[in-house]
Amino acid sequence: MPKKHGKKYLEALKLLEPGKLYQPQEAVSLLKKMNYVKFDPTLEIHMRLGVDPRHADQMVRGVALLPAGTGKEVKVLVFAQGEKAREAEAAGADFVGLDDLIKQIENDWLGFDVAIATPDVMPKIGRLGRKLGPRGLMPNPKTGTVTMDVARAVREAKAGRVEFRVDRTGLLHVPAGKLSFSDEALLSNLAAIIDAVMRAKPASSKGAYIRNVVLASTMSPGVPLDLQSALSLRA
């Protein structure tokens, strides 16, 4: 059954010009006018990529560091021992440990947003893959969350680090900050995400890599962007 939308959504939809592709600045301003929720919604960027994620060599995955941050408090957990555990604590990690944290997670505790680990403890936490993997919380060298430089990883996670991974249909969905941010802050975050996605382009990708881009905020209609204008944000 087609999804039914409420009156406020339909009123917001009337602000969209059918068939128009918007400049990024226009789209951000329009989404602020469209906003009808009582909380501070998240701005999201959605991209359709010209890849086939069924092939391992066309998987797109990476990390973007948002210059203006995410607008939310990020709870960071670090699996580490000894000196590295002390470094993580000094950098501001919310939870640091190893066996005690493994036990809590095995008992279904998941009170954190990002998990970081040093390489030496990965054999111990491998058994958490079934619990953390489906939620995108398993430390992974490809996203910089398995590292000896735990202090830097903690600071980046706290400052505004977002991970992205293409889904099985070739779509990416990435949060780009809160709608209450200034237009300039949101545009700088969008530029960082687009740049990171472009740098994550697989060597095997042929033809158009980013095929279309849409901006939306929580519960809002999507605003389609002019592709060239969106790509030029990273210049």
Side-chain angles (χ1 to χ4, degrees), residues 22-180:
Y22 289 79
Q23 302 292 309
Q25 174 74 60
E26 277 185 300
V28 168
S29 298
L30 181 59
L31 283 166
K32 290 185 175 185
K33 289 178 187 171
M34 283 181 172
N35 183 38
Y36 59 88
V37 296
K38 293 182 178 178
F39 55 89
D40 187 8
T42 298
L43 179 73
E44 300 156 358
I45 181 168
H46 307 277
M47 302 183 207
R48 181 172 294 283
L49 304 183
V51 298
D52 185 348
R54 292 175 299 177
H55 301 292
D57 63 351
Q58 292 193 46
M59 174 55 66
V60 176
R61 183 175 189 175
V63 173
L65 299 178
L66 305 188
T70 61
K72 62 175 276 191
E73 182 186 358
V74 178
K75 296 283 187 183
V76 179
L77 177 148
V78 178
F79 295 106
Q81 304 176 94
E83 183 60 33
K84 290 300 171 182
R86 290 188 284 275
E87 286 179 20
E89 288 172 349
D94 299 278
F95 311 101
V96 181
L98 186 57
D99 294 328
D100 54 333
L101 293 178
I102 291 172
K103 197 169 290 183
Q104 288 182 59
I105 292 167
E106 286 179 330
N107 289 327
D108 297 327
W109 173 75
L110 292 168
F112 53 95
D113 304 297
V114 177
I116 295 164
T118 52
D120 57 301
V121 304
M122 284 303 291
K124 273 200 165 188
I125 66 172
R127 66 180 191 258
L128 299 177
R130 286 187 179 179
K131 286 187 179 290
L132 300 184
R135 296 171 175 84
L137 292 173
M138 190 67 182
N140 189 309
K142 291 181 180 178
T143 58
T145 48
V146 176
T147 176
M148 289 301 288
D149 194 351
V150 290
R152 178 181 176 183
V154 169
R155 287 193 296 268
E156 287 182 350
K158 288 281 188 181
R161 176 185 184 282
V162 293
E163 294 184 22
F164 56 83
R165 181 175 183 167
V166 68
D167 69 15
R168 66 181 67 184
T169 65
L171 291 172
L172 273 181
H173 313 278
V174 192
K178 294 294 185 179
L179 198 60
S180 61

Side-chain angles (χ1 to χ4, degrees), residues 2-11 13 36 219-222:
K3 185 179 177 182
K4 289 187 177 180
H5 293 291
K7 288 181 181 178
K8 291 182 178 179
Y9 179 97
L10 296 174
E11 285 298 316
L13 191 60
Y36 59 88
M219 297 173 66
S220 84

Side-chain angles (χ1 to χ4, degrees), residues 171-227:
L171 291 172
L172 273 181
H173 313 278
V174 192
K178 294 294 185 179
L179 198 60
S180 61
F181 286 8
S182 70
D183 291 6
E184 293 73 21
L186 289 172
L187 290 169
S188 69
N189 280 355
L190 291 169
I193 292 168
I194 291 169
D195 183 61
V197 172
M198 289 299 292
R199 284 188 281 105
K201 179 181 180 181
S204 59
S205 173
K206 305 298 180 188
Y209 174 51
I210 297 181
R211 295 193 170 172
N212 59 50
V213 181
V214 173
L215 292 187
S217 65
T218 311
M219 297 173 66
S220 84
V223 179
L225 297 191
D226 175 79
L227 184 56

